[in-house]
Amino acid sequence: MFEVTVSDHMMIAHSLRGEVFGPAQALHGATYVVEAAFSRPDLDSDGIVIDIGRAGEALGAVLADLTYRNLDEVESLSGLNTTTEVLCREIADRLAARLHDGSLGAHAGDLARIRVTLRENPNAWAAYERAP
Amino acid sequence: MFEVTVSDHMMIAHSLRGEVFGPAQALHGATYVVEAAFSRPDLDSDGIVIDIGRAGEALGAVLADLTYRNLDEVESLSGLNTTTEVLCREIADRLAARLHDGSLGAHAGDLARIRVTLRENPNAWAAYERAP
Amino acid sequence: MFEVTVSDHMMIAHSLRGEVFGPAQALHGATYVVEAAFSRPDLDSDGIVIDIGRAGEALGAVLADLTYRNLDEVESLSGLNTTTEVLCREIADRLAARLHDGSLGAHAGDLARIRVTLRENPNAWAAYERAP
Amino acid sequence: MFEVTVSDHMMIAHSLRGEVFGPAQALHGATYVVEAAFSRPDLDSDGIVIDIGRAGEALGAVLADLTYRNLDEVESLSGLNTTTEVLCREIADRLAARLHDGSLGAHAGDLARIRVTLRENPNAWAAYERAP
Amino acid sequence: MFEVTVSDHMMIAHSLRGEVFGPAQALHGATYVVEAAFSRPDLDSDGIVIDIGRAGEALGAVLADLTYRNLDEVESLSGLNTTTEVLCREIADRLAARLHDGSLGAHAGDLARIRVTLRENPNAWAAYERAP
Amino acid sequence: MFEVTVSDHMMIAHSLRGEVFGPAQALHGATYVVEAAFSRPDLDSDGIVIDIGRAGEALGAVLADLTYRNLDEVESLSGLNTTTEVLCREIADRLAARLHDGSLGAHAGDLARIRVTLRENPNAWAAYERAP
């Protein structure tokens, strides 16, 4: 199995709903370092999993919709409790949509898995993986 | 699948038994950067895998029993050859016990896997994973 | 010259005032990894620059007043444009005050310099240094 | 499952064949930080997955054949498009050969998996895993 | 004193002239992680050392002239032995030129120092600092 | 001013004397990531500060006398309280001696400064600088 990962970041404000979050129920923020990994059982005829340039651009485009914003007011996230885990899933789903519309230049059917990791501080991070 | 990881560290002395360890048979030491990952197929009603605050406290409590000590003299490790691999398993087992006694605030049955990674220097690390 | 550095982090929301900040004029957030360095020409009788445990606690206490908050609404910062540079200075000033009130267990007069670095994302950071 | 990872690096020049590579079709170079991970369901009688010293030496020996070279002119790579993914596979295959000839001091049959990761810059890396 | 740093990278091939370089006399390559730091005694009226966005763009523009190339054939470097130290100076000089032509949006006269660091592998890096 | 830095690590046991050290008065250990920086106002005729290969070997040789040992029993350190700061100075002094005996292949008189940094865990490090 082969895997290619690209990394970028976003800087957002948000608040979390639920007593379990303690002080993070207040409006605060985070720099999320975001890693998107694409895996595939065999390489294509160019010897790659996916065009790493286009993968980076796709990740950048997904993050551009979220960065420098207060996620509590982002319409496409309304109704979501934007925990690190939920944001991992959201970003993975948006990348999967780009795979399916062809903008990553690879056939979604060739890939085995997408995994998105968000690092919120040096001591905590989360990940989500799904089929493409 | 979702995964949440928390990180902490411990600073210990120890020696290893066996010719394979060469100079590490002598008493020496290590800063172990310790990562504990918890995975789960679905999020709970708060949108999380596990309370990241309690996960960090549980890891801190497990490490507090070991840090600033000579592991050769820690009674609960007696009989163990405290290689990085063995310490990974020991810490994972202690975290699993805390899951089972309810102190992590999650039902052990909801989790799919615990994985513990110990980084001993910039060029070497080990990991162990088990069912919770 | 000797220098000791301790590191911690805070997660905040804020907005910046001024056209130069472009999209960062909107409410957004950051995880700031914060490093506080203390330097001294000679070591004390224990062979240290400063008690690293107390230095870490002092940094933690300073950050506890800021983390998990919207800095736009923190009274002690009112009137400040909370750029990374300004936050470096603010944290350095608060650490210097703790030096002067004796809570770091060192005489301010023994130290030559305090330097505070805030890392806002993998590609950008700022620092400020001052006499204690 | 247990896993041990060792890390090293190599500094090479190469060019890539295929329009998908854009400017990387020209002769350029990379520092590859290389991680080799070995996994095993149970520990051996010394409490380890593999002798970490010999694993590091084996990785170093494999990289010594490639570092400080122009990969376009390395005979043993002729015919390969030396993408990061292809280099991951090549290095994993060479490590597997060393496992089989006994130079890692472990029986290949005891290991479950070899995974090789190459980090080419802070924002991109690839991995390949195979049975030993 | 305040300092702001931005970071980026370039991937190049080159060879070095001189017996002291041993195997690095052959054509090989490197990923250089490049950090450019700008320092200033006081903040401007926006509370910053320099517009961090424009600083990052300036660094990106300087590196765009070098990345994905064989430095042995870059005309503007002809006659230079492109050691890590020499490349630090070259990049610092090019950033200083951009300061002087106003494209960084700051008056060169306000800055106290430019420092450029190039990290060539996890175990080696170089830096150069100059007046702007 | 130019600066070149090489990095390596050592893994040691030790105990510290003095109430200020709290639990670190007991025998424990550390992985110290060690950085040695050499600075020089001008480059030599090869375009370098110092032969980075020989600098790395010199640092490795200095650390080989300390790693995998209990520093409380290392004769050449007897009488020293081996705090991180004291170890920085000790390693800097040993590197300076190697400069003076010619084994770094540079004239000590050409260098302006040696700085040694020891990172003891992700949240704490110390440094010492001296004239060569």
Side-chain angles (χ1 to χ4, degrees), chain B:
Chain B
M1 182 68 76
F2 293 89
E3 188 177 65
V4 159
T5 307
V6 292
S7 171
D8 202 336
H9 67 268
M10 63 177 182
M11 301 179 74
I12 57 88
H14 68 156
S15 60
L16 298 172
R17 294 192 308 270
E19 282 182 30
V20 70
F21 298 106
Q25 293 176 88
L27 185 66
H28 64 290
T31 303
Y32 283 113
V33 177
V34 183
E35 300 169 6
F38 303 89
S39 65
R40 184 174 167 144
D42 296 296
L43 298 180
D44 74 8
S45 58
D46 287 313
I48 58 175
V49 167
I50 197 174
D51 178 348
I52 210 167
R54 289 174 88 162
E57 285 166 17
L59 178 59
V62 166
L63 300 185
D65 287 341
L66 303 173
T67 194
Y68 288 126
R69 301 183 70 179
N70 175 0
L71 299 188
D72 296 354
E73 298 177 351
V74 171
E75 210 167 309
S76 63
L77 299 174
S78 74
L80 293 178
N81 204 11
T82 57
T83 63
T84 310
E85 294 92 323
V86 166
L87 289 171
C88 286
R89 184 182 59 199
E90 185 67 23
I91 292 170
D93 289 351
R94 294 182 184 200
L95 286 169
R98 283 172 185 266
L99 257 182
H100 284 281
D101 74 15
S103 61
L104 268 99
H107 299 287
D110 297 333
L111 295 181
R113 200 178 54 204
I114 299 177
R115 187 179 64 247
V116 169
T117 303
L118 264 72
R119 300 183 184 271
E120 69 182 79
N121 68 50
N123 297 333
W125 55 98
Y128 170 68
E129 68 182 43
R130 52 162 283 172

Side-chain angles (χ1 to χ4, degrees), chain E residues 24-59:
Chain E
Q25 292 175 89
L27 185 65
H28 65 290
T31 304
Y32 283 113
V33 178
V34 183
E35 300 168 6
F38 303 89
S39 65
R40 186 175 167 143
D42 296 296
L43 298 179
D44 73 7
S45 58
D46 286 313
I48 58 175
V49 167
I50 197 172
D51 178 347
I52 210 167
R54 290 174 87 162
E57 285 165 16
L59 178 59

Side-chain angles (χ1 to χ4, degrees), chain C residues 10 12 58-71 73-77 90-91 94 98:
Chain C
M10 63 177 182
I12 57 87
L59 178 59
V62 166
L63 299 186
D65 287 341
L66 303 173
T67 195
Y68 288 125
R69 300 184 70 179
N70 176 359
L71 299 188
E73 298 177 351
V74 171
E75 210 167 311
S76 64
L77 299 173
E90 185 67 23
I91 291 169
R94 293 182 183 201
R98 283 173 184 265

Side-chain angles (χ1 to χ4, degrees), chain F residues 105-119:
Chain F
H107 300 287
D110 297 334
L111 296 182
R113 200 178 54 204
I114 299 177
R115 187 178 64 247
V116 170
T117 303
L118 265 72
R119 301 183 183 272

Side-chain angles (χ1 to χ4, degrees), chain F residues 16-68:
Chain F
L16 299 172
R17 294 191 309 271
E19 282 182 29
V20 70
F21 298 107
Q25 293 175 87
L27 185 67
H28 65 289
T31 303
Y32 283 113
V33 178
V34 183
E35 301 168 6
F38 304 89
S39 65
R40 184 175 168 144
D42 295 297
L43 297 180
D44 73 8
S45 58
D46 287 312
I48 58 174
V49 167
I50 196 172
D51 178 347
I52 210 167
R54 289 174 89 162
E57 285 165 17
L59 178 59
V62 167
L63 299 185
D65 287 341
L66 303 173
T67 195
Y68 288 125

Side-chain angles (χ1 to χ4, degrees), chain D residues 44-115:
Chain D
D44 73 8
S45 58
D46 286 313
I48 58 174
V49 167
I50 196 173
D51 178 347
I52 210 166
R54 289 174 88 162
E57 285 165 17
L59 178 59
V62 167
L63 300 186
D65 287 341
L66 303 172
T67 194
Y68 288 125
R69 301 184 70 180
N70 175 0
L71 299 188
D72 296 353
E73 299 177 351
V74 172
E75 210 167 310
S76 63
L77 300 173
S78 74
L80 292 178
N81 205 10
T82 58
T83 62
T84 311
E85 294 92 323
V86 166
L87 290 171
C88 286
R89 185 183 58 201
E90 185 66 23
I91 292 170
D93 289 351
R94 294 182 183 200
L95 286 169
R98 283 172 184 266
L99 257 181
H100 284 281
D101 74 15
S103 61
L104 268 98
H107 300 288
D110 297 333
L111 295 182
R113 201 179 51 204
I114 299 177
R115 188 179 63 247

